Amino acid sequence: MLDIEFQKSPKGKWTTPPFDPRFPNQNQTRNCYQNFLDYHRCVKRMNRRGKSTQPCEYYFRVFHSLCPKSWVQRWTEQIQGGTFAGKI
Amino acid sequence: MAYPFQLGFQDATSPIMEELLHFHDHTLMIVFLISSLVLYIISLMLTTKLTHTSTMDAQEVETIWTILPAIILILIALPSLRILYMMDEINSPSLTVKTMGHQWYWSYEYTDYEDLSFDSYMIPTQELKPGELRLLEVDNRVVLPMEVTIRMLISSEDVLHSWAVPSLGLKTDAIPGRLNQTTLMGTRPGLYYGQCSEICGSNHSFMPIVLELVPLSYFEKWSVFML
């Protein structure tokens, strides 16, 4: 029938966030939020040191895959407005 | 999908649902056996002229009808726990799809690569084409590749909803502010229907879910078309 191996993406390219053992259960809210925070913290610190933010792309891809768009939009607006509750 | 005069579950489309079907067969058989035994004994009791008014000691039968039910319960519990743990197995999904419940429709987001998102409203009865299912069809179906492990993340934008597809053995609550994960693995292509399973207002019965499982190449074409 259909060859499953053939259907998988070529190795090395992004497919979807892998299993994160820090968040093994049904509630993935924190997984999304933590990666969102980690991305912004990474970008802030890399910019402060004048380094490239390319390593931060992993966190971006994870929260972009996991977090609902409305949440990301709301948090981004809060960050821009200075009302974001998390520590970045 | 459900059909008229249906007695059992819908045909299984995922490995977990197959297990649940077999477990249900096993447990229901035990239940039928016990019920018929009890009914038979009651009928015997009610249709005899014999009497025995001097029972003093029932130690042996009491032992039997304590130990035997305990064994039966264990025989039910072991397969049940096996399936419970099977549902929690760690797998590596190849695709993540988010679904947000709204009053009164579902919206879907496929954001692993590009940003693909759309709403899925029920087709009103007046606008159904011949052969379509009343209260079950939607304008935009959730197209997914088959035989692939998919991570479904379910949440809500307003009140409680629940995202259910009985054929795949899926039902997960959509809770505002919380992201619930479930794993979807369809074994064969086709259309699979479900309905919102948590009361959410006047149109709670009118926000169905339709999964369209297709080969991967069709899914890729569809996602490019939808962007």
Short mmCIF file of all heavy atoms in Angstrom, two decimals, chain B residues 12-59:
data_model
loop_
_atom_site.label_atom_id
_atom_site.label_comp_id
_atom_site.label_asym_id
_atom_site.label_seq_id
_atom_site.Cartn_x
_atom_site.Cartn_y
_atom_site.Cartn_z
N ALA B 12 -14.33 1.43 13.57
CA ALA B 12 -13.12 2.08 14.10
C ALA B 12 -12.23 2.54 12.97
O ALA B 12 -12.05 1.84 11.97
CB ALA B 12 -12.35 1.11 14.99
N THR B 13 -11.67 3.74 13.13
CA THR B 13 -10.76 4.27 12.12
C THR B 13 -9.39 4.54 12.73
O THR B 13 -8.52 5.12 12.10
CB THR B 13 -11.33 5.56 11.54
OG1 THR B 13 -12.66 5.29 11.13
CG2 THR B 13 -10.56 6.04 10.33
N SER B 14 -9.20 4.18 13.99
CA SER B 14 -7.88 4.37 14.58
C SER B 14 -7.58 3.14 15.44
O SER B 14 -8.51 2.45 15.86
CB SER B 14 -7.84 5.64 15.43
OG SER B 14 -8.49 5.44 16.66
N PRO B 15 -6.31 2.86 15.68
CA PRO B 15 -5.96 1.68 16.46
C PRO B 15 -6.57 1.69 17.86
O PRO B 15 -7.02 0.66 18.35
CB PRO B 15 -4.43 1.71 16.53
CG PRO B 15 -4.00 2.66 15.48
CD PRO B 15 -5.11 3.60 15.21
N ILE B 16 -6.61 2.87 18.48
CA ILE B 16 -7.16 2.96 19.83
C ILE B 16 -8.65 2.60 19.80
O ILE B 16 -9.14 1.88 20.69
CB ILE B 16 -6.96 4.37 20.41
CG1 ILE B 16 -5.49 4.66 20.59
CG2 ILE B 16 -7.71 4.55 21.71
CD1 ILE B 16 -4.86 4.00 21.78
N MET B 17 -9.36 3.10 18.81
CA MET B 17 -10.79 2.82 18.75
C MET B 17 -11.04 1.34 18.53
O MET B 17 -11.99 0.78 19.08
CB MET B 17 -11.45 3.65 17.64
CG MET B 17 -12.96 3.61 17.69
SD MET B 17 -13.56 4.21 19.26
CE MET B 17 -15.15 3.43 19.34
N GLU B 18 -10.16 0.69 17.74
CA GLU B 18 -10.30 -0.76 17.57
C GLU B 18 -10.17 -1.46 18.92
O GLU B 18 -10.95 -2.36 19.25
CB GLU B 18 -9.21 -1.28 16.63
CG GLU B 18 -9.42 -0.91 15.17
CD GLU B 18 -8.23 -1.28 14.31
OE1 GLU B 18 -7.48 -2.19 14.67
OE2 GLU B 18 -8.05 -0.63 13.26
N GLU B 19 -9.18 -1.03 19.70
CA GLU B 19 -8.99 -1.63 21.03
C GLU B 19 -10.22 -1.40 21.90
O GLU B 19 -10.68 -2.30 22.61
CB GLU B 19 -7.77 -1.01 21.72
CG GLU B 19 -6.47 -1.28 21.02
CD GLU B 19 -5.97 -2.68 21.27
OE1 GLU B 19 -6.50 -3.36 22.18
OE2 GLU B 19 -5.05 -3.10 20.56
N LEU B 20 -10.75 -0.17 21.85
CA LEU B 20 -11.92 0.15 22.67
C LEU B 20 -13.12 -0.71 22.26
O LEU B 20 -13.88 -1.17 23.11
CB LEU B 20 -12.26 1.63 22.54
CG LEU B 20 -11.30 2.59 23.24
CD1 LEU B 20 -11.58 4.02 22.85
CD2 LEU B 20 -11.38 2.44 24.74
N LEU B 21 -13.28 -0.92 20.96
CA LEU B 21 -14.37 -1.77 20.47
C LEU B 21 -14.27 -3.17 21.04
O LEU B 21 -15.24 -3.74 21.53
CB LEU B 21 -14.29 -1.86 18.94
CG LEU B 21 -15.25 -1.00 18.13
CD1 LEU B 21 -14.83 -0.98 16.68
CD2 LEU B 21 -16.64 -1.58 18.26
N HIS B 22 -13.06 -3.74 20.95
CA HIS B 22 -12.87 -5.11 21.45
C HIS B 22 -13.08 -5.17 22.95
O HIS B 22 -13.68 -6.11 23.47
CB HIS B 22 -11.47 -5.63 21.09
CG HIS B 22 -11.26 -5.75 19.62
ND1 HIS B 22 -12.19 -6.27 18.77
CD2 HIS B 22 -10.21 -5.39 18.83
CE1 HIS B 22 -11.74 -6.22 17.53
NE2 HIS B 22 -10.54 -5.71 17.53
N PHE B 23 -12.60 -4.15 23.65
CA PHE B 23 -12.79 -4.13 25.10
C PHE B 23 -14.27 -4.05 25.45
O PHE B 23 -14.74 -4.72 26.38
CB PHE B 23 -12.04 -2.93 25.70
CG PHE B 23 -12.33 -2.70 27.15
CD1 PHE B 23 -11.86 -3.59 28.11
CD2 PHE B 23 -13.10 -1.62 27.57
CE1 PHE B 23 -12.14 -3.40 29.45
CE2 PHE B 23 -13.37 -1.44 28.91
CZ PHE B 23 -12.89 -2.33 29.85
N HIS B 24 -14.99 -3.24 24.68
CA HIS B 24 -16.43 -3.12 24.93
C HIS B 24 -17.13 -4.46 24.68
O HIS B 24 -18.00 -4.86 25.46
CB HIS B 24 -17.01 -2.03 24.05
CG HIS B 24 -18.47 -1.81 24.27
ND1 HIS B 24 -19.44 -2.37 23.48
CD2 HIS B 24 -19.13 -1.11 25.22
CE1 HIS B 24 -20.63 -2.02 23.92
NE2 HIS B 24 -20.48 -1.25 24.98
N ASP B 25 -16.73 -5.15 23.61
CA ASP B 25 -17.31 -6.48 23.33
C ASP B 25 -17.07 -7.42 24.51
O ASP B 25 -17.98 -8.12 24.96
CB ASP B 25 -16.67 -7.09 22.08
CG ASP B 25 -17.12 -6.40 20.81
OD1 ASP B 25 -18.14 -5.67 20.86
OD2 ASP B 25 -16.47 -6.59 19.75
N HIS B 26 -15.83 -7.41 24.98
CA HIS B 26 -15.44 -8.28 26.10
C HIS B 26 -16.25 -7.98 27.35
O HIS B 26 -16.85 -8.85 27.98
CB HIS B 26 -13.93 -8.08 26.32
CG HIS B 26 -13.40 -8.55 27.63
ND1 HIS B 26 -13.10 -9.86 27.91
CD2 HIS B 26 -13.08 -7.85 28.76
CE1 HIS B 26 -12.63 -9.95 29.13
NE2 HIS B 26 -12.60 -8.77 29.68
N THR B 27 -16.34 -6.68 27.70
CA THR B 27 -17.04 -6.30 28.93
C THR B 27 -18.54 -6.52 28.81
O THR B 27 -19.19 -6.98 29.75
CB THR B 27 -16.75 -4.82 29.25
OG1 THR B 27 -15.34 -4.62 29.21
CG2 THR B 27 -17.26 -4.44 30.62
N LEU B 28 -19.09 -6.20 27.65
CA LEU B 28 -20.53 -6.38 27.47
C LEU B 28 -20.91 -7.85 27.54
O LEU B 28 -21.96 -8.20 28.08
CB LEU B 28 -20.97 -5.78 26.13
CG LEU B 28 -22.47 -5.60 25.95
CD1 LEU B 28 -23.02 -4.63 26.97
CD2 LEU B 28 -22.78 -5.12 24.54
N MET B 29 -20.04 -8.72 27.03
CA MET B 29 -20.29 -10.16 27.12
C MET B 29 -20.37 -10.59 28.58
O MET B 29 -21.25 -11.34 28.98
CB MET B 29 -19.18 -10.93 26.38
CG MET B 29 -19.30 -12.42 26.47
SD MET B 29 -20.85 -13.05 25.89
CE MET B 29 -20.67 -12.80 24.15
N ILE B 30 -19.43 -10.08 29.39
CA ILE B 30 -19.47 -10.41 30.82
C ILE B 30 -20.77 -9.91 31.44
O ILE B 30 -21.43 -10.62 32.20
CB ILE B 30 -18.25 -9.81 31.54
CG1 ILE B 30 -16.97 -10.45 31.02
CG2 ILE B 30 -18.37 -9.95 33.05
CD1 ILE B 30 -15.70 -9.87 31.59
N VAL B 31 -21.15 -8.69 31.09
CA VAL B 31 -22.37 -8.10 31.64
C VAL B 31 -23.58 -8.92 31.23
O VAL B 31 -24.46 -9.22 32.05
CB VAL B 31 -22.49 -6.63 31.16
CG1 VAL B 31 -23.89 -6.11 31.34
CG2 VAL B 31 -21.50 -5.76 31.88
N PHE B 32 -23.65 -9.34 29.96
CA PHE B 32 -24.78 -10.16 29.50
C PHE B 32 -24.82 -11.48 30.25
O PHE B 32 -25.88 -11.96 30.65
CB PHE B 32 -24.67 -10.43 27.99
CG PHE B 32 -25.11 -9.29 27.13
CD1 PHE B 32 -24.68 -9.19 25.81
CD2 PHE B 32 -25.96 -8.31 27.62
CE1 PHE B 32 -25.08 -8.14 25.00
CE2 PHE B 32 -26.36 -7.25 26.82
CZ PHE B 32 -25.92 -7.17 25.51
N LEU B 33 -23.65 -12.09 30.45
CA LEU B 33 -23.61 -13.39 31.13
C LEU B 33 -24.13 -13.26 32.56
O LEU B 33 -24.95 -14.04 33.01
CB LEU B 33 -22.18 -13.94 31.13
CG LEU B 33 -21.69 -14.51 29.81
CD1 LEU B 33 -20.21 -14.85 29.90
CD2 LEU B 33 -22.48 -15.75 29.43
N ILE B 34 -23.64 -12.24 33.25
CA ILE B 34 -24.08 -12.06 34.65
C ILE B 34 -25.57 -11.76 34.70
O ILE B 34 -26.31 -12.33 35.50
CB ILE B 34 -23.27 -10.92 35.32
CG1 ILE B 34 -21.79 -11.32 35.40
CG2 ILE B 34 -23.83 -10.60 36.69
CD1 ILE B 34 -20.90 -10.21 35.90
N SER B 35 -26.02 -10.87 33.82
CA SER B 35 -27.45 -10.51 33.84
C SER B 35 -28.32 -11.71 33.53
O SER B 35 -29.35 -11.92 34.19
CB SER B 35 -27.73 -9.42 32.81
OG SER B 35 -26.88 -8.34 33.00
N SER B 36 -27.95 -12.51 32.56
CA SER B 36 -28.81 -13.66 32.23
C SER B 36 -28.77 -14.69 33.34
O SER B 36 -29.80 -15.30 33.66
CB SER B 36 -28.45 -14.27 30.88
OG SER B 36 -27.09 -14.20 30.64
N LEU B 37 -27.61 -14.86 33.97
CA LEU B 37 -27.54 -15.79 35.10
C LEU B 37 -28.46 -15.34 36.23
O LEU B 37 -29.23 -16.14 36.78
CB LEU B 37 -26.09 -15.88 35.60
CG LEU B 37 -25.87 -16.73 36.83
CD1 LEU B 37 -26.09 -18.20 36.49
CD2 LEU B 37 -24.47 -16.53 37.41
N VAL B 38 -28.41 -14.06 36.55
CA VAL B 38 -29.24 -13.52 37.63
C VAL B 38 -30.72 -13.64 37.29
O VAL B 38 -31.54 -14.07 38.11
CB VAL B 38 -28.84 -12.05 37.90
CG1 VAL B 38 -29.86 -11.37 38.79
CG2 VAL B 38 -27.46 -11.98 38.53
N LEU B 39 -31.07 -13.30 36.04
CA LEU B 39 -32.47 -13.41 35.62
C LEU B 39 -32.95 -14.85 35.70
O LEU B 39 -34.07 -15.14 36.12
CB LEU B 39 -32.64 -12.88 34.19
CG LEU B 39 -32.91 -11.39 34.07
CD1 LEU B 39 -32.82 -10.94 32.62
CD2 LEU B 39 -34.28 -11.05 34.63
N TYR B 40 -32.06 -15.77 35.28
CA TYR B 40 -32.43 -17.18 35.31
C TYR B 40 -32.66 -17.63 36.75
O TYR B 40 -33.65 -18.30 37.05
CB TYR B 40 -31.33 -18.01 34.65
CG TYR B 40 -31.56 -19.49 34.72
CD1 TYR B 40 -32.67 -20.07 34.12
CD2 TYR B 40 -30.68 -20.32 35.43
CE1 TYR B 40 -32.90 -21.42 34.20
CE2 TYR B 40 -30.90 -21.67 35.50
CZ TYR B 40 -32.02 -22.22 34.90
OH TYR B 40 -32.24 -23.57 34.98
N ILE B 41 -31.77 -17.22 37.66
CA ILE B 41 -31.92 -17.64 39.05
C ILE B 41 -33.19 -17.04 39.65
O ILE B 41 -33.93 -17.70 40.38
CB ILE B 41 -30.66 -17.25 39.87
CG1 ILE B 41 -29.48 -18.07 39.38
CG2 ILE B 41 -30.89 -17.44 41.35
CD1 ILE B 41 -28.17 -17.70 40.01
N ILE B 42 -33.47 -15.79 39.31
CA ILE B 42 -34.70 -15.17 39.79
C ILE B 42 -35.91 -15.95 39.29
O ILE B 42 -36.85 -16.24 40.05
CB ILE B 42 -34.79 -13.69 39.36
CG1 ILE B 42 -33.75 -12.88 40.12
CG2 ILE B 42 -36.18 -13.13 39.61
CD1 ILE B 42 -33.66 -11.43 39.69
N SER B 43 -35.88 -16.32 38.04
CA SER B 43 -37.03 -17.04 37.48
C SER B 43 -37.18 -18.41 38.14
O SER B 43 -38.29 -18.88 38.41
CB SER B 43 -36.90 -17.19 35.97
OG SER B 43 -35.82 -18.04 35.67
N LEU B 44 -36.04 -19.05 38.47
CA LEU B 44 -36.10 -20.31 39.19
C LEU B 44 -36.73 -20.11 40.57
O LEU B 44 -37.60 -20.87 41.00
CB LEU B 44 -34.70 -20.89 39.39
CG LEU B 44 -34.04 -21.64 38.26
CD1 LEU B 44 -32.68 -22.16 38.72
CD2 LEU B 44 -34.89 -22.81 37.81
N MET B 45 -36.29 -19.07 41.24
CA MET B 45 -36.78 -18.80 42.59
C MET B 45 -38.27 -18.57 42.60
O MET B 45 -38.96 -18.90 43.56
CB MET B 45 -36.10 -17.56 43.16
CG MET B 45 -34.62 -17.63 43.23
SD MET B 45 -34.12 -17.84 44.90
CE MET B 45 -32.42 -18.21 44.71
N LEU B 46 -38.77 -17.92 41.54
CA LEU B 46 -40.17 -17.54 41.52
C LEU B 46 -41.08 -18.66 41.04
O LEU B 46 -42.30 -18.53 41.09
CB LEU B 46 -40.37 -16.31 40.63
CG LEU B 46 -39.72 -15.03 41.14
CD1 LEU B 46 -39.87 -13.92 40.11
CD2 LEU B 46 -40.35 -14.58 42.45
N THR B 47 -40.49 -19.76 40.55
CA THR B 47 -41.34 -20.81 39.95
C THR B 47 -41.09 -22.16 40.59
O THR B 47 -41.09 -23.18 39.94
CB THR B 47 -41.05 -20.90 38.44
OG1 THR B 47 -39.64 -21.13 38.27
CG2 THR B 47 -41.48 -19.66 37.71
N THR B 48 -40.87 -22.15 41.89
CA THR B 48 -40.68 -23.44 42.54
C THR B 48 -41.63 -23.58 43.72
O THR B 48 -41.97 -22.58 44.39
CB THR B 48 -39.23 -23.62 43.00
OG1 THR B 48 -39.08 -24.90 43.62
CG2 THR B 48 -38.86 -22.56 44.01
N LYS B 49 -42.04 -24.83 43.96
CA LYS B 49 -42.90 -25.05 45.13
C LYS B 49 -42.07 -25.48 46.33
O LYS B 49 -42.56 -25.58 47.44
CB LYS B 49 -43.94 -26.13 44.81
CG LYS B 49 -45.01 -25.70 43.83
CD LYS B 49 -46.22 -26.60 43.96
CE LYS B 49 -47.34 -26.10 43.07
NZ LYS B 49 -47.19 -26.55 41.67
N LEU B 50 -40.76 -25.75 46.09
CA LEU B 50 -39.91 -26.21 47.18
C LEU B 50 -39.63 -25.06 48.13
O LEU B 50 -39.54 -23.91 47.73
CB LEU B 50 -38.57 -26.71 46.62
CG LEU B 50 -38.65 -27.83 45.60
CD1 LEU B 50 -37.30 -27.99 44.92
CD2 LEU B 50 -39.06 -29.12 46.28
N THR B 51 -39.50 -25.40 49.43
CA THR B 51 -39.13 -24.38 50.39
C THR B 51 -38.02 -24.91 51.28
O THR B 51 -37.86 -26.12 51.43
CB THR B 51 -40.31 -23.99 51.29
OG1 THR B 51 -40.75 -25.16 51.96
CG2 THR B 51 -41.42 -23.36 50.51
N HIS B 52 -37.27 -24.00 51.85
CA HIS B 52 -36.22 -24.39 52.81
C HIS B 52 -36.09 -23.25 53.78
O HIS B 52 -35.57 -22.20 53.47
CB HIS B 52 -34.92 -24.64 52.05
CG HIS B 52 -33.81 -25.10 52.94
ND1 HIS B 52 -33.96 -26.10 53.87
CD2 HIS B 52 -32.53 -24.69 53.05
CE1 HIS B 52 -32.82 -26.30 54.49
NE2 HIS B 52 -31.92 -25.45 54.03
N THR B 53 -36.62 -23.43 54.99
CA THR B 53 -36.72 -22.30 55.91
C THR B 53 -35.69 -22.37 57.02
O THR B 53 -35.75 -21.60 57.97
CB THR B 53 -38.11 -22.29 56.55
OG1 THR B 53 -38.37 -23.58 57.10
CG2 THR B 53 -39.17 -21.91 55.54
N SER B 54 -34.73 -23.25 56.93
CA SER B 54 -33.82 -23.40 58.08
C SER B 54 -32.36 -23.26 57.68
O SER B 54 -31.50 -24.00 58.16
CB SER B 54 -34.04 -24.76 58.73
OG SER B 54 -33.81 -25.77 57.76
N THR B 55 -32.09 -22.30 56.83
CA THR B 55 -30.68 -22.10 56.44
C THR B 55 -29.90 -21.53 57.60
O THR B 55 -30.26 -20.50 58.17
CB THR B 55 -30.59 -21.10 55.27
OG1 THR B 55 -31.43 -21.58 54.24
CG2 THR B 55 -29.18 -20.98 54.75
N MET B 56 -28.82 -22.24 57.98
CA MET B 56 -28.00 -21.75 59.09
C MET B 56 -26.64 -21.30 58.60
O MET B 56 -26.11 -20.30 59.06
CB MET B 56 -27.81 -22.88 60.11
CG MET B 56 -29.08 -23.26 60.82
SD MET B 56 -29.74 -21.89 61.74
CE MET B 56 -28.50 -21.71 62.99
N ASP B 57 -26.06 -22.04 57.63
CA ASP B 57 -24.68 -21.79 57.28
C ASP B 57 -24.53 -21.70 55.77
O ASP B 57 -24.95 -22.57 55.03
CB ASP B 57 -23.84 -22.96 57.85
CG ASP B 57 -22.47 -22.96 57.24
OD1 ASP B 57 -21.85 -21.89 57.16
OD2 ASP B 57 -22.02 -24.05 56.82
N ALA B 58 -23.97 -20.56 55.32
CA ALA B 58 -23.84 -20.38 53.86
C ALA B 58 -22.40 -20.01 53.52
O ALA B 58 -22.15 -19.32 52.53
CB ALA B 58 -24.78 -19.29 53.40
N GLN B 59 -21.50 -20.48 54.35
CA GLN B 59 -20.10 -20.06 54.21
C GLN B 59 -19.53 -20.29 52.82
O GLN B 59 -18.87 -19.43 52.25
CB GLN B 59 -19.24 -20.82 55.24
CG GLN B 59 -17.91 -20.20 55.53
CD GLN B 59 -18.04 -18.93 56.35
OE1 GLN B 59 -19.10 -18.33 56.45
NE2 GLN B 59 -16.95 -18.50 56.94
#
